[in-house]
Amino acid sequence: MSPELQTVVALVLVALAAGWLVRRALAKRKKPGCGSDCGCAAEKFKSSLKQ
């Protein structure tokens, strides 16, 4: 494999990895915590605080 081809392949892999990390970071920002019924006890604490 030529050095030029290795450079291009390495840059493509780095770009894909960086894109994947950015996508994960943005997805977590949109849905922090429990987005649905995950079985956590947060509702129990919320209801006990209201009383």
Side-chain angles (χ1 to χ4, degrees):
M1 191 180 285
S2 70
E4 291 84 11
L5 183 58
Q6 285 181 341
T7 302
V8 170
V9 170
L11 289 173
V12 168
L13 289 175
V14 169
L16 288 173
W20 179 71
L21 289 173
V22 168
R23 183 176 162 210
R24 284 192 58 191
L26 291 176
K28 286 191 178 200
R29 188 181 308 177
K30 290 180 184 177
K31 295 182 186 179
C34 294
S36 62
D37 184 24
C38 61
C40 62
E43 290 301 320
K44 290 180 186 176
F45 294 123
K46 287 179 186 177
S47 63
S48 66
L49 291 174
K50 290 180 183 178
Q51 295 175 354

